[in-house]
Amino acid sequence: VSELREWRPVIYRKCTDTLWLLIFFLFWAGLMFITGYAVMAGAAERLVLGYDSFGNICGRKNTPVKGAPLSGQDMTNKKYVFFLNSCSLEMQSLKISSLSLCVSSCPQEQLNSLEDLQSFARNNGSCLCIYNLTVSSYTLNPKAAELCPTLPVPPSKSFPLFNRCVPQNPECYSKYASVLISMVNEMDVFHRTLSGILAGRDTVVGLSVLALAFSFILVLAFRFIRTVLVHTLIALVVFGLLFVSGILWWLYYDYRNDPSTELETEKENVKFLLGYAIFSTIVTVILLSLIFVLRKRLQFTVQLFRIVGKIIGRIPFLLFQPLWTFLILIVFWVFWVAVLLSLGTAGTAQTTSGGQVEYRALSGICHMAWYHFVGLIWTSEFILACQQMTIAGAVVTCYFNRNKNSPPPHPVLSSISVLFCYHLGTAVKGSFLITILRIPRIVLLYLYNILKQKESACAKCLFKCCVCWVWCQESCSRYFNQHAYTTTAINGTNFCTSAKDAVFILAKNSAKLASISCFGDFILFLGKVFVVCFTVFGGLMAFNYHRELQAWVVPLLLVGFFAYLMSHSFLSVFEVTADAMFLCFAIDMETNDGSAEKPYFADQELLTFVSQSNKLTEGQKHRSMRPFQDNEDGTELQPMV
């Protein structure tokens, strides 16, 4: 079927993979149900702002809870959570035993008596005793000792970890932090991820902006690339890899030899630093080896990016394509995190003895969270697939145009309209294929982290092999998805037919195009490594200044993932353009012969580049085979002297 197909951009199209588009709409209907449920049953402000033992959220007005007389108070000016017994906290069923209050400021100095508490309340307007005890009654009420903090009250500081008053006394601080950390450790991975994101939210946002800036600079650099820029990029990548690896090892030894490293989160940071350092060193060695081996093909890389830049010059709006993709992803991620926070706090308020309020988690929240997580992966991949199809459609329109000096009008808008009118189902199906390959890898990693203390060495090796195998499948699927999208943009066929046709064409022309495409992808991958390296380095420096009570493993992983995703989103313009161009070139060579009746669509510069690259590859093969050929022709071995 593929041999008889007329490979030309069709004018009259029909909708493809409509069933998958309907499934995607039904899936999003489920997400909307979870969103509505989370908004109605959840209270993300409880997690972000903190709340007291009587159901009042600090920093806002509250509604009364039935059976809790001290609930429903206006806490607009009381933004910090203060524990009455901060030096002797205990955990009981994921709940801190000490009473907590909302206060306007934390005591900066030690308070040794009820008179000191009374003086602090009058001078600072911050009452540290139960709300129904007036300031004048601190020294008169016989039950004041039970309704006020345990004396002496250690000096504390408002720390941006859920707006808690953290005691500064070393002994109290250690006990306080250990209880909070154990509370987080006893939660499931869903709540631990939330706490990690919220703990370093300001740093994560700043580093994400830095990753965005690096990605945009690289896009401009690749657009006007020259030989000097390629050498500069490689030098920066080498420097970044060596520098980040060195910094990771230095931080590991610094943390390990720090005598104040006693808390579990700090010990966990040391373990992850060691893992980061080992991984970074391995990646550095592999990439440096590849750079050394492929150094002689740099000139062809410059020519490749000049040709790709020439196509982008004809469609300048392709450079702005990642911006709207980025904005849509940001809007979706903000929505996703907001729903996640609401799900994490979804619970019913129940009054206990003494008028206190507890929030009991609702049943089914964990299943909703996993459904919500699948929505994150599938929708993100769908948005990226739409970007790939838009770029591929614009490149196809310009390639199969005889008059290269007069490109078609508005190719990007035309590609977007074709995508939304006919081929959204194809993008849904392709993104679902990536999703079902990514989820098993995440589940395997999750199970590995849960069972790593109980596994044997053989089981660990088996887990890692399974993860590696699934990752290889995912990478191969991404590669074929991209070419399937280009084939859909040409022929208007569904996903499976397009994938089959693309595989047929690529298999017949793999020897001609593999080396060119692979080395271009390698240079783009170095650009992504550059963005991730320098963003992670900035994260290491930022988090290193906040060692106390900072479990920054999750935020740093989030920053690295976001940096790679942003660099991939921006640099994929060149990657998709190059891959679409070479697929169109292979189709051009397959269906035309360069005669007057069947002239090539490719210009002379592209034909010359592919020809020279193939000659270089064949020359290297002949040189590698020459010693064996000479030996077969009867070359004698000379005796050793």
Side-chain angles (χ1 to χ4, degrees), residues 370-484:
W370 277 108
Y371 188 94
H372 193 54
F373 180 70
V374 173
L376 169 69
I377 299 176
W378 193 2
T379 306
S380 299
E381 293 294 339
F382 169 72
I383 294 171
L384 293 174
C386 289
Q387 173 181 287
Q388 292 175 355
M389 288 198 73
T390 301
I391 296 173
V395 172
V396 165
T397 303
C398 286
Y399 186 94
F400 291 104
N401 176 45
R402 291 294 182 187
N403 189 357
K404 302 298 182 183
N405 295 323
S406 178
H410 312 298
V412 174
L413 292 178
S414 175
S415 181
I416 293 175
S417 64
V418 168
L419 167 65
F420 278 88
C421 292
Y422 303 104
H423 302 314
L424 278 180
T426 301
V428 168
K429 191 173 182 178
S431 58
F432 180 77
L433 179 63
I434 299 298
T435 302
I436 62 175
L437 289 174
R438 174 171 285 190
I439 290 175
R441 181 159 63 96
I442 295 172
V443 171
L444 285 172
L445 289 172
Y446 174 60
L447 292 176
Y448 174 77
N449 287 329
I450 291 177
L451 303 175
K452 62 183 178 182
Q453 302 296 334
K454 304 176 182 179
E455 288 176 346
S456 63
C458 181
K460 288 182 179 180
C461 181
L462 183 61
F463 260 111
K464 292 178 181 178
C465 290
C466 290
V467 171
C468 183
W469 178 69
V470 174
W471 177 82
C472 291
Q473 279 194 324
E474 181 186 334
S475 300
C476 292
S477 297
R478 285 185 183 278
Y479 178 77
F480 287 112
N481 273 14
Q482 195 164 294
H483 290 292

Side-chain angles (χ1 to χ4, degrees), residues 26 53 81 99 115 149 153 234 254 318 336 342 362 380 424 453 497 524 527 559 561 568 576 581 609:
L26 293 176
S53 298
V81 180
L99 284 175
E115 287 78 9
V153 179
I234 292 177
D254 186 41
L318 280 182
W336 185 85
S342 297
L362 300 174
S380 299
L424 278 180
Q453 302 296 334
T497 304
L524 289 173
V559 165
F561 169 75
H568 173 75
V576 177
M581 178 186 69
F609 168 73

Side-chain angles (χ1 to χ4, degrees), residues 130-202:
I130 301 297
Y131 304 130
N132 57 3
L133 184 65
T134 61
V135 176
S136 58
S137 303
Y138 281 12
T139 56
L140 302 176
N141 195 315
K143 295 184 178 180
E146 301 175 7
L147 304 177
C148 291
T150 303
L151 297 174
V153 179
S156 58
K157 180 181 178 182
S158 57
F159 191 78
L161 182 66
F162 308 138
N163 298 322
R164 266 41 173 202
C165 289
V166 180
Q168 299 301 295
N169 181 294
E171 183 179 351
C172 293
Y173 168 75
S174 179
K175 180 66 176 177
Y176 180 95
S178 297
V179 170
L180 285 184
I181 292 161
S182 63
M183 180 181 68
V184 173
N185 288 338
E186 290 181 22
M187 293 180 182
D188 54 20
V189 65
F190 169 56
H191 289 89
R192 286 204 303 270
T193 303
L194 283 180
S195 63
I197 293 173
L198 290 172
R201 57 188 181 274
D202 296 333

Side-chain angles (χ1 to χ4, degrees), residues 270-313:
V270 173
K271 293 179 182 178
F272 275 91
L273 271 176
L274 177 61
Y276 286 151
I278 294 174
F279 177 77
S280 177
T281 303
I282 293 173
V283 170
T284 300
V285 172
I286 293 174
L287 288 182
L288 290 181
S289 302
L290 288 173
I291 290 172
F292 179 77
V293 171
L294 300 174
R295 68 190 185 281
K296 294 183 179 179
R297 298 187 68 92
L298 287 180
Q299 189 58 38
F300 281 94
T301 305
V302 175
Q303 293 180 18
L304 170 62
F305 281 106
R306 282 179 183 170
I307 294 173
V308 174
K310 189 175 179 181
I311 293 178
I312 294 177

